[in-house]
Amino acid sequence: RGHRLLLHDPYVREDEAARLGAEPAALDDLCRAADIVTVHAPELPETYRMLNARRLALIPDGGAVVNTARGSLVDTDALTRECATGRLSAFLDVTDPEPLPAGHPLLALPNVLVTPHIAGAQGSEARRLGAYAVDEAARYLRGEPLLGRRTAADLPRLA
């Protein structure tokens, strides 16, 4: 049936989204249209509980929430209620609180997978990060633009 990739990010321009193969969307519209909602945002005052009870209710029946960002971006109580009914599934690498206390309902639901904050772990992180740092230093010494360059203006919105 094909798919559409919707993107809600106030820092990504429409042309950048198109280059990524995504369609910009307001967050409510994204929740209404998406079968899978994935969260990849930093923890900021404006992202706190961005997936709250109202927005979780907008996700179509049978939908799924994937959070590999920060636990505070999703309302844990509201997500627990949605998953307990079986209406939504969840795949959570981060939770709020983290870790969830023993006996938390999310840990027992068959439609929820909670991992111990290991998203992206492939076992070679130290080697890859080290190679990246060396490559960046070499670019700097050659007077080339840095791939990971960030400005002071970027800092408040980085994870």
Side-chain angles (χ1 to χ4, degrees):
R1 102 180 192 194
H3 67 277
R4 294 170 47 210
L5 179 62
L6 302 176
L7 172 69
H8 174 76
D9 188 327
Y11 298 99
V12 175
R13 295 185 323 263
E14 192 168 334
D15 62 317
E16 291 176 294
R19 187 174 46 77
L20 296 169
E23 300 174 37
L27 187 52
D28 285 359
D29 294 338
L30 183 149
C31 289
R32 280 186 200 96
D35 294 321
I36 302 170
V37 176
T38 66
V39 183
H40 310 276
E43 183 173 35
L44 302 170
E46 58 269 27
T47 60
Y48 181 79
R49 300 290 190 260
M50 63 189 291
L51 287 185
N52 55 23
R54 184 183 65 75
R55 286 195 175 119
L56 290 168
L58 296 175
I59 299 171
D61 291 354
V65 172
V66 178
N67 189 2
T68 60
R70 297 289 182 255
S72 67
L73 279 57
V74 177
D75 181 332
T76 302
D77 292 337
L79 182 64
T80 301
R81 288 189 298 273
E82 292 285 359
C83 291
T85 68
R87 198 181 79 72
L88 295 180
S89 296
F91 303 88
L92 307 170
D93 189 56
V94 290
T95 57
D96 186 26
E98 187 172 57
L100 289 173
H104 192 281
L106 283 175
L107 298 173
L109 293 172
N111 55 332
V112 176
L113 175 66
V114 179
T115 58
H117 202 150
I118 58 168
Q122 299 174 350
S124 60
E125 290 76 24
R127 182 173 40 257
R128 289 186 296 118
L129 289 170
Y132 179 80
V134 169
D135 291 345
E136 283 287 80
R139 277 188 277 283
Y140 176 79
L141 292 172
R142 291 189 303 263
E144 298 174 1
L146 301 177
L147 296 179
R149 182 175 186 269
R150 297 294 176 257
T151 66
D154 295 326
L155 296 179
R157 65 178 182 92
L158 296 176

